[in-house]
Amino acid sequence: MVHRAKRKIANMSIDSKLMLSFALLLFLMLAICLVATQISLNEYDKKLYKNTEKELEYFIQTIDDEISSIDDISYNTVLNYDTQRLLYETVMDNNVSTYNWQMRQIILRFIQELLGNEKIAGFIYIDPKNNEYANGDISIEIPEEKKTQILDLATKGQGQFVFIAPDEDFPYLISARMIRYYINADLTYLGTMILITDIKATIEPKLSTLENSNNSLVIMNDGAKVYSSSNLGEKISKESNGIKDGGYRIERIDGSRYFICLGKSGKTGWRYINAMPYDELFLMSQITRFSLIIGFIMLYIIAFFIVRKISKIITKPLKNLSSSMALVENGNFDSALDSIGDTFSDDEIGQLGKDYTIMLKHIKALIHDNYEKQILVNDAKYRALKAQINPHFLYNTLNSIGWMVQLERPKEARAMINALGEILHESFRPDRLVYVSDEIRLLEDYICIQRIRYSDRAIFMLTYDDGIESLLMPQMILQPLVENAIYHAVDESDKLCTIKVDIERIGEKLEITVSDNGPGMSKKRLDEVRSLSYSGGRNGIGIKNIYSRLELLYPDNDYSMKIDSSEGNGTTIVATLPIRGE
């Protein structure tokens, strides 16, 4: 797997490698920044958690102070020196009328001292004779069981401040203190003072000390709800189960996430549950996270395109160089020079481009010089090949003309002289390609001579398609092929031979077929002829000459020449040439 990945990377273009390297490096840097930022934000969140805990602790202390202030109010009221003396004198007075009058004075004093404080909703004073004197909000009536409970606690407290926490049935704080005569340490029982405090009126003004105004505060005492600032109190209380005092947890309530923090009062033993909307509490942190992520992504995209642009600037000269080399491989030197351009930078790549251009121009000049020389060589070679007219054919033809003159056959002699003149004239033409009609006329001149020479030994047949006369074909191809047939068939046979020449167009090719019914060739000799290694006897211009000229004329090898022969079945040569002249 790793090896395959390395191999794939190795085969990538330089541009892609640079992009990949820059992208990975940039990604690594951004990842490190994101991790560092995440760590910092996590630390920020932890500090926020701690601050929230401290905030709740401060709020708990504030409520404890409020309850302590109620204790102080109770203490200062019942232990006031004048109040103590007046209570003692009243309790000790056995006169009913005097007792009642003085008790009214005491109650008035209590009203002034207690109900003047907004924390106190009402009070009940129970004298030593169990007479109850209630004042304050008349709508508040302490249930009997709670009254009995608070009196029991006051009796056990023996003058200490005691209280009963509010609950859903009676949402008021009930506190009490047994009154004893402390002057001269007499400790005579002077009654019991019960104070009723509206816990809601006490707590809600202090909610502003909590930073988030959308907090949901729940106060619990032994599983009973003391106070709740919202209708989510029961659900918040349930979700807080399992949280240790001073701990926190994130819970989902009614589809929204809440940060629940829990604290416990050391004075009252109440559990304070503060539930804050998570999204509001950590809004800034979330916005910072989101902004950083978006910012890093945008930075990565911008940096990626900048790097891509730089990479293209760096690799463009190399790409141009590579494209130019590809054109050079196909021989397109002019296009290669145009591809690489003529403006180069002063760096190493620019210097490479300059050197390559200079080298390319030198190579082009050398190729041009060599090409011109090769053209001259090929032309001379072609002319030499075309000039290879068989001296034996020329000698025999002239000798035949001489015999015709001696035999007083001037007509045949004149015909042979005219045909030989046309053949010699054609051999000196500079053209490489001639019309098919010219080549047919040359072949007819050659056949004219051979018919006179082999009048009783050979029959010549020439056929060709209509409309091919205007096409171009190599000069002096038909005559050597027929001469080759005469050599292999007529000269090596003692019977009448037929030589057929057929020229036809097949698609975009011109097919020339020369066949004879001579003695044919052995397989060994056929292989030698096909491989152009046969050198026995006189062979006219010969097959090798034809091959050499076709190779010079058609460097793309879009021609073919097939030779088929067997002993006793004659020989057939099929030359297929590309059509020219259309």
Side-chain angles (χ1 to χ4, degrees):
M1 185 73 177
V2 176
H3 178 71
R4 188 183 301 171
K6 287 183 178 178
R7 189 168 151 194
K8 189 172 182 180
I9 293 173
N11 292 331
M12 292 171 64
S13 64
I14 295 177
D15 187 15
S16 299
K17 289 178 181 176
L18 282 174
M19 286 298 300
L20 180 62
S21 301
F22 281 128
L24 289 175
L25 182 61
L26 189 61
F27 178 78
L28 181 62
M29 293 174 61
L30 292 178
I32 292 173
C33 292
L34 278 174
V35 170
T37 304
Q38 184 63 34
I39 292 173
S40 300
L41 289 173
N42 288 340
E43 290 299 318
Y44 170 78
D45 289 347
K46 289 179 181 178
K47 288 183 179 180
L48 191 60
Y49 296 157
K50 294 298 180 183
N51 290 338
T52 305
E53 290 179 30
K54 290 180 180 180
E55 185 180 278
L56 183 59
E57 290 175 0
Y58 176 76
F59 179 80
I60 293 172
Q61 185 59 47
T62 301
I63 301 303
D64 286 348
D65 291 342
E66 288 295 316
I67 295 176
S68 295
S69 68
I70 296 172
D71 182 6
D72 293 340
I73 293 171
S74 171
Y75 180 85
N76 293 332
T77 299
V78 300
L79 293 181
N80 180 272
Y81 181 80
D82 293 334
T83 302
Q84 282 267 310
R85 285 190 59 189
L86 185 57
L87 276 172
Y88 182 77
E89 290 174 358
T90 302
V91 170
M92 292 295 110
D93 192 346
N94 292 325
N95 189 298
V96 176
S97 58
T98 304
Y99 182 88
N100 291 335
W101 183 84
Q102 288 181 332
M103 190 58 67
R104 282 196 296 272
Q105 298 302 314
I106 293 171
I107 297 303
L108 288 173
R109 180 184 286 270
F110 285 159
I111 291 172
Q112 291 175 353
E113 294 183 7
L114 295 175
L115 298 184
N117 193 306
E118 60 183 6
K119 300 174 185 178
I120 308 301
F123 69 88
I124 300 174
Y125 170 66
I126 302 174
D127 66 10
K129 298 179 181 181
N130 286 328
N131 295 318
E132 295 184 8
Y133 302 90
N135 272 279
D137 191 343
I138 59 173
S139 64
I140 302 173
E141 184 177 354
I142 302 176
E144 286 299 324
E145 64 274 11
K146 289 189 178 293
K147 187 187 294 184
T148 302
Q149 183 182 358
I150 193 65
L151 289 175
D152 290 341
L153 291 173
T155 301
K156 293 177 182 179
Q158 292 295 313
Q160 297 295 319
F161 178 77
V162 295
F163 64 88
I164 298 175
D167 55 28
E168 293 184 85
D169 295 330
F170 191 74
Y172 294 91
L173 177 70
I174 305 172
S175 58
R177 183 190 296 274
M178 180 182 285
I179 306 173
R180 290 189 177 273
Y181 185 56
Y182 287 100
I183 300 175
N184 297 328
D186 185 81
L187 300 179
T188 301
Y189 174 66
L190 300 179
T192 300
M193 176 63 73
I194 300 174
L195 300 181
I196 303 171
T197 305
D198 188 350
I199 196 67
K200 185 175 181 181
T202 303
I203 292 175
E204 288 187 349
K206 306 300 179 182
L207 289 176
S208 59
T209 60
L210 297 175
E211 186 174 347
N212 196 314
S213 60
N214 292 326
N215 288 5
S216 294
L217 179 68
V218 181
I219 303 175
M220 304 294 292
N221 178 51
D222 294 333
K225 184 170 68 176
V226 174
Y227 170 80
S228 176
S229 63
S230 73
N231 55 6
L232 296 176
E234 186 175 347
K235 294 180 180 179
I236 293 173
S237 174
K238 182 179 179 181
E239 294 296 338
S240 68
N241 292 333
I243 303 178
K244 296 180 180 180
D245 296 338
Y248 56 84
R249 191 163 65 196
I250 298 171
E251 295 290 346
R252 186 172 292 277
I253 302 173
D254 287 351
S256 300
R257 288 191 302 171
Y258 285 85
F259 176 76
I260 301 176
C261 183
L262 191 142
K264 188 173 183 179
S265 169
K267 180 179 181 65
T268 63
W270 296 350
R271 296 177 78 243
Y272 288 74
I273 306 166
N274 188 19
M276 295 157 282
Y278 182 87
D279 292 337
E280 292 184 18
L281 181 64
F282 297 96
L283 178 62
M284 187 56 65
S285 176
Q286 289 178 325
I287 291 175
T288 303
R289 279 188 174 87
F290 183 76
S291 300
L292 285 172
I293 291 173
I294 296 298
F296 280 134
I297 291 174
M298 293 298 296
L299 179 62
Y300 184 84
I301 293 173
I302 293 171
F304 180 83
F305 281 105
I306 292 174
V307 167
R308 185 179 180 185
K309 185 69 175 177
I310 295 173
S311 175
K312 285 187 176 181
I313 293 173
I314 294 173
T315 59
K316 184 178 179 180
L318 293 175
K319 287 184 176 181
N320 291 341
L321 189 61
S322 177
S323 300
S324 178
M325 288 180 176
L327 291 171
V328 169
E329 288 180 3
N330 296 323
N332 300 325
F333 286 87
D334 292 332
S335 299
L337 287 170
D338 293 339
S339 174
I340 198 169
D342 55 3
T343 303
F344 304 98
S345 59
D346 295 330
D347 58 8
E348 293 83 351
I349 298 176
Q351 187 60 44
L352 179 64
K354 292 177 186 176
D355 295 341
Y356 171 77
T357 302
I358 294 171
M359 180 189 70
L360 202 60
K361 289 179 179 178
H362 284 324
I363 293 174
K364 181 183 176 184
L366 289 172
I367 291 176
H368 181 73
D369 293 343
N370 186 63
Y371 180 73
E372 288 184 344
K373 291 177 182 178
Q374 189 64 39
I375 289 175
L376 293 175
V377 170
N378 287 344
D379 187 64
K381 186 177 180 181
Y382 186 83
R383 289 177 181 272
L385 289 169
K386 196 171 70 170
Q388 290 178 358
I389 297 177
N390 196 323
H392 185 75
F393 157 71
L394 185 59
Y395 171 79
N396 287 339
T397 302
L398 292 174
N399 189 43
S400 297
I401 292 172
W403 277 105
M404 293 299 158
V405 171
Q406 289 182 10
L407 295 173
E408 297 182 354
R409 296 169 63 181
K411 184 177 180 181
E412 287 86 346
R414 188 181 302 110
M416 291 180 70
I417 291 171
N418 290 335
L420 181 60
E422 288 294 329
I423 293 172
L424 291 175
H425 178 267
E426 192 68 25
S427 67
F428 291 108
R429 284 182 62 178
D431 302 321
R432 293 191 176 191
L433 296 175
V434 296
Y435 289 113
V436 173
S437 58
D438 294 337
E439 188 69 2
I440 290 173
R441 187 167 58 252
L442 176 66
L443 179 61
E444 288 175 342
D445 289 335
Y446 178 76
I447 290 174
C448 175
I449 295 173
Q450 299 303 338
R451 277 190 178 133
I452 296 172
R453 288 188 61 218
Y454 297 98
S455 59
D456 57 347
R457 295 179 58 191
I459 298 174
F460 297 93
M461 300 176 64
L462 173 61
T463 59
Y464 53 87
D465 290 346
D466 293 335
I468 66 171
E469 293 89 344
S470 61
L471 300 179
L472 295 176
M473 67 176 293
Q475 186 189 29
M476 294 191 73
I477 291 294
L478 298 178
Q479 183 267 329
L481 289 174
V482 173
E483 182 181 5
N484 183 74
I486 292 173
Y487 170 72
H488 286 289
V490 179
D491 288 351
E492 295 187 8
S493 177
D494 55 358
K495 64 179 182 178
L496 182 65
C497 291
T498 301
I499 297 175
K500 296 180 180 180
V501 180
D502 182 60
I503 309 170
E504 60 179 334
R505 176 174 182 169
I506 300 177
E508 296 300 316
K509 299 288 184 178
L510 192 66
E511 187 173 279
I512 303 168
T513 304
V514 178
S515 61
D516 64 71
N517 60 349
M521 292 181 282
S522 65
K523 185 177 184 306
K524 180 181 179 181
R525 185 175 176 182
L526 178 62
D527 291 339
E528 290 176 351
V529 172
R530 284 175 174 173
S531 63
L532 306 180
S533 62
Y534 178 72
S535 59
R538 49 187 175 82
N539 193 18
I541 293 178
I543 299 299
K544 187 174 182 179
N545 181 290
I546 297 173
Y547 264 118
S548 299
R549 286 192 294 132
L550 290 178
E551 187 176 16
L552 290 173
L553 285 171
Y554 304 111
D556 294 334
N557 293 323
D558 53 350
Y559 69 93
S560 66
M561 193 159 69
K562 299 178 182 180
I563 304 174
D564 290 320
S565 181
S566 62
E567 290 182 318
N569 295 314
T571 302
T572 300
I573 299 176
V574 179
T576 304
L577 309 175
I579 287 180
R580 298 285 188 270
E582 285 191 333

